[in-house]
Amino acid sequence: MRRRSAGAVGYARPVGNGEAAGPRHVASGTAHGNWLTLGKDGRLTLYAPTDGGLLRWSETAVGGPAWSGPHFVAVADLTDLTVAQGADGYVHLLGRRQRTGSDGARSVDIVHAIQYQTGRAVTDWRSLGNPHKDHEQGRGLGVPVGAIASDGTVHVFVRSAGRGLMLRREAPNGKWKAWEDLLGSGIDAPPAAVALSGGRGEVCAAAETGVWMWRQAEAGGSFATPRGFALRPTPGTVAALETGPDRATYFWTDAADGGTVAWRPGGWPVALGPAPAERPYAALRTALDGYDCVVLACRGQDGTAVLGVGGTENEANGFWWYALPERCQGTPALARDGLGRVVMALIDPDGVPRLARQDEGAGLAFTRWQRL
């Protein structure tokens, strides 16, 4: 893979449709999930948490290079932000909110909003509540994770205070069903959820005893009793990607040797090399030089971004890692822009988004980094 030297290219930031814009806001980290999304109109949108809400940047034209933003979306008391997108292009924003009442008691709930079109305002935020009725117990609720089925049904998974897995999802009439207890135990971090193109969903979570897997037998159906596997992922690093028809591959950092592995149920984990992550890997499937490939990205132990490339479901033939000079917070993001180019985004230590696009030529080379 060819790499150019790092650089910063500045662009004007026109105000487009949105809530508010202002230079005083900077990102406080990275969102969970796929926080760089491609709209139906071919424009990219980038989301990041900030004090008092979230920030949003949007391309002003397909393929850039100019962006509008940052647009500030106020969401008081938000502790965590998660971004999930469905096949219909709608972007679902999930948050964990912790509020303090007039009596001083703290309560936690999960909130949800939708952005239907690039650059447009998000819907009103709606509370999905908390599966725990007791406020003290409810404060142990984890970070929400979203998976949007092929029919648009939203699934929200969250670790319970008892360290099992809870689910709340939409009914066919658009209303929300009650919280469902999916069981499991010893979950240490947000799970990895994937909505497969065939309509089914799967969830994988690291736990004290290994790995828990939940699967739907059919689209729209119930999740079967979880199955445990004696594997050793580092909590908080598990990511999921559909790599075949109705089939997912899971990636994580191995707790025993610190290397990255790929795993599909029914097989053994395959070592991909020494690229340990602190949070879930960003994962993207794309064609490179005519080959079906998986691209992974993470924040390395020295605080710089790391990129990996290998054949899809062909891990035994090698996986190549590249240390980039750009420093970042949290997990980078990967997407394809409206022209089909791979785009890598990160939040730098100053809370400013930076991104680079796939350059022309063989392999996966990037253009100079652009500072938004």
Side-chain angles (χ1 to χ4, degrees):
M1 183 183 78
R2 297 178 293 111
R3 283 194 290 110
R4 292 185 176 183
S5 59
V9 181
Y11 292 94
R13 295 186 296 184
V15 176
N17 294 322
E19 290 69 19
R24 69 185 183 281
H25 295 292
V26 296
S28 57
T30 56
H32 304 272
N34 300 321
W35 51 271
L36 183 65
T37 64
L38 180 66
K40 282 292 189 182
D41 63 355
R43 290 189 290 153
L44 291 170
T45 301
L46 185 152
Y47 302 86
T50 190
D51 291 341
L54 64 94
L55 298 173
R56 186 192 68 195
W57 291 258
S58 301
E59 285 184 318
T60 60
V62 176
W67 291 68
S68 66
H71 303 289
F72 173 66
V73 181
V75 194
D77 306 313
L78 201 66
T79 65
D80 293 272
L81 173 69
T82 299
V83 183
Q85 187 177 28
D88 53 13
Y90 299 163
V91 177
H92 296 263
L93 304 171
L94 297 165
R96 181 187 184 274
R97 183 172 63 178
Q98 181 170 290
R99 295 180 290 180
T100 302
S102 58
D103 59 354
R106 293 177 297 154
S107 63
V108 169
D109 67 342
I110 303 299
V111 292
H112 171 246
I114 307 172
Q115 181 173 310
Y116 290 106
Q117 291 179 287
T118 305
R120 300 289 185 178
V122 303
T123 64
D124 291 337
W125 290 82
R126 175 177 181 175
S127 175
L128 302 183
N130 187 315
H132 304 293
K133 302 304 181 184
D134 180 76
H135 283 180
E136 182 175 356
Q137 185 183 30
R139 290 197 292 271
L141 196 67
V143 176
V145 172
I148 319 302
S150 55
D151 65 357
T153 300
V154 183
H155 296 70
V156 180
F157 302 93
V158 63
R159 190 206 66 208
S160 69
R163 299 171 69 189
L165 188 66
M166 306 296 296
L167 163 66
R168 192 163 191 197
R169 54 177 160 173
E170 286 184 304
N173 62 4
K175 295 183 179 181
W176 288 88
K177 296 183 178 181
W179 286 98
E180 304 172 45
D181 188 350
L182 299 186
L183 305 177
S185 62
I187 297 174
D188 293 314
V194 59
L196 301 170
S197 56
R200 291 191 311 105
E202 293 186 357
V203 185
C204 179
E208 293 176 343
T209 54
V211 166
W212 288 111
M213 276 288 305
W214 293 261
R215 307 180 74 180
Q216 283 178 309
E218 59 184 7
S222 299
F223 282 82
T225 301
R227 183 179 177 189
F229 296 87
L231 304 172
R232 292 288 307 281
T234 299
T237 66
V238 183
L241 179 68
E242 184 170 18
T243 54
D246 207 38
R247 184 172 61 251
T249 298
Y250 297 91
F251 303 93
W252 62 68
T253 299
D254 186 77
D257 64 16
T260 307
V261 302
W263 176 71
R264 286 177 290 280
W268 293 100
V270 178
L272 302 184
E278 299 172 337
R279 291 178 63 172
Y281 292 84
L284 177 71
R285 184 180 176 188
T286 191
L288 296 174
D289 301 332
Y291 292 96
D292 187 353
C293 293
V294 166
V295 182
L296 299 179
C298 68
R299 179 181 185 270
Q301 292 184 319
D302 64 353
T304 62
V306 179
L307 188 73
V309 181
T312 301
E313 297 192 353
N314 195 20
E315 299 88 1
N317 274 355
F319 209 87
W320 291 266
W321 293 96
Y322 306 89
L324 306 181
E326 285 68 34
R327 300 188 67 82
C328 62
Q329 304 183 51
T331 301
L334 294 168
R336 285 188 298 271
D337 68 10
L339 302 180
R341 298 172 296 185
V342 176
V343 180
M344 183 175 179
L346 55 82
I347 304 297
D348 71 18
D350 295 325
V352 177
R354 293 162 59 90
L355 63 90
R357 300 177 194 264
Q358 183 179 357
D359 204 354
E360 297 179 357
L364 181 56
F366 284 106
T367 60
R368 296 178 64 196
W369 286 84
Q370 175 185 353
R371 189 174 187 269
L372 301 188

